[in-house]
Amino acid sequence: MADMKIRLGWMYPDCLNLHGERGSVQAFERVGKNLGVEVEVHRINDFDEPIPFDELDLLLFLPGEIAEFEFIRPALERQRAKLEKYIENNGWIIAVGTTGLLFGGETVREDESIFRGLGLLPVKGKERKYVWGDDLHFRLRDTKQEIFGSQIQMADVETDAPLGDVLYGRGNDAKGTEGARYKNLLFTNCLGPVFVKNPWWTEDIIRKILLQKMGVAAKKPYTWESASFDSCLRFTKAKPEFPIK
């Protein structure tokens, strides 16, 4: 078990650093430790730095401002062929919060200008005049796990390939879907930090990466924080009906 290791690329942390989501990096390290898996974190800081796709098992893009994407997109575009190969070979990429738009199609800014993403996710966005904030509770479509956190919505999202279905909250656009997915490229609006609040999801991703990489399964230590999760659900059930706006 001591030799089991996965390598996490913490992408551009100097500008993708909103909402305290850097805690999600620590969540992967901690959950990995409890699974008997070393999660080795590599910071990718410089836009000119080549991404070592062959060495990384997971690329984690945390939330950032839409304005920052104009600097990040060219850095990824220069490595597009390797990025697309990584995705098609089932490499794992997770984009949290507004950063999901970096991997999508067009996003209409509030001033009517257009940001064009990488086009790797079937996602379109429209920046909101007012930021939306509330709880978010959704069910993943693949594993049926329930995920709970918060949402600070800077842009509404359209997609025909959602990651999950909303049980409470706004999600993509208040029409019942949350996030988006293509293969192992995942986007979620959920914050919390999301992988701290939902260690069962963190655990599931680590186990899948390890099985995919080494053909072995990590030990499953215990069920995480079920009492805390139940408390959150009781709270949202007592709230007024979610206003669709």
Side-chain angles (χ1 to χ4, degrees):
M1 300 293 286
D3 293 330
M4 294 198 296
K5 177 191 291 186
I6 67 173
R7 294 175 173 84
L8 182 154
W10 185 4
M11 306 304 296
Y12 310 121
D14 291 336
C15 60
L16 299 180
N17 56 15
L18 298 182
H19 315 312
E21 280 297 318
R22 63 180 58 217
S24 284
V25 177
Q26 296 172 307
F28 273 95
E29 291 180 298
R30 180 62 181 269
V31 172
K33 183 177 180 180
N34 282 302
L35 288 167
V37 179
E38 180 185 357
V39 177
E40 187 176 276
V41 176
H42 297 261
R43 290 175 62 114
I44 308 298
N45 296 302
D46 193 331
F47 295 145
D48 294 325
E49 181 180 354
I51 300 170
F53 291 102
D54 293 340
E55 300 174 14
L56 298 175
D57 303 300
L58 167 64
L59 309 183
L60 188 57
F61 290 78
L62 299 179
E65 298 280 358
I66 297 175
E68 299 283 355
F69 302 164
E70 297 287 358
F71 302 100
I72 298 172
R73 187 190 186 284
L76 297 176
E77 192 65 61
R78 286 193 294 271
Q79 304 173 77
R80 187 180 188 93
K82 291 182 178 180
L83 175 60
E84 290 183 348
K85 181 180 178 181
Y86 181 84
I87 294 169
E88 293 303 319
N89 288 340
N90 291 312
W92 286 79
I93 299 176
I94 301 174
V96 181
T98 310
T99 303
L101 298 174
L102 176 63
F103 292 90
E106 292 187 351
T107 295
V108 180
R109 303 294 309 275
E110 189 184 350
D111 63 4
E112 301 301 325
S113 65
I114 301 292
F115 168 75
R116 290 177 173 82
L118 293 161
L120 299 172
L121 272 177
V123 164
K124 293 181 180 180
K126 183 174 177 56
E127 189 174 14
R128 293 177 55 83
K129 182 177 181 180
Y130 301 108
V131 174
W132 175 274
D134 200 353
D135 295 309
L136 177 60
H137 176 204
F138 70 98
R139 181 182 291 116
L140 293 168
R141 288 197 170 184
D142 59 345
T143 64
K144 308 305 179 186
Q145 287 179 319
E146 292 188 20
I147 307 301
F148 188 91
S150 59
Q151 181 172 5
I152 301 175
Q153 189 81 343
M154 299 179 184
D156 288 333
V157 174
E158 293 182 19
T159 183
D160 58 4
L163 177 67
D165 298 293
V166 173
L167 302 173
Y168 178 90
R170 186 176 184 83
N172 288 330
D173 56 2
K175 295 180 181 178
T177 63
E178 157 56 19
R181 179 170 194 162
Y182 173 72
K183 292 198 169 186
N184 290 332
L185 170 55
L186 316 182
F187 151 54
T188 180
N189 296 290
C190 198
L191 310 172
V194 60
F195 292 106
V196 175
K197 294 278 287 185
N198 301 276
W200 42 86
W201 193 14
T202 318
E203 176 185 316
D204 183 64
I205 291 170
I206 291 174
R207 288 166 60 82
K208 285 176 177 174
I209 291 173
L210 193 68
L211 188 63
Q212 181 177 311
K213 179 180 179 180
M214 302 179 63
V216 296
K219 63 183 180 181
K220 194 172 182 68
Y222 45 84
T223 302
W224 288 79
E225 298 203 18
S226 58
S228 174
F229 185 74
D230 290 343
S231 175
C232 291
L233 296 190
R234 287 195 299 272
F235 174 74
T236 54
K237 287 178 180 178
K239 293 174 68 174
E241 183 177 352
F242 178 72
I244 304 298
K245 292 183 180 178

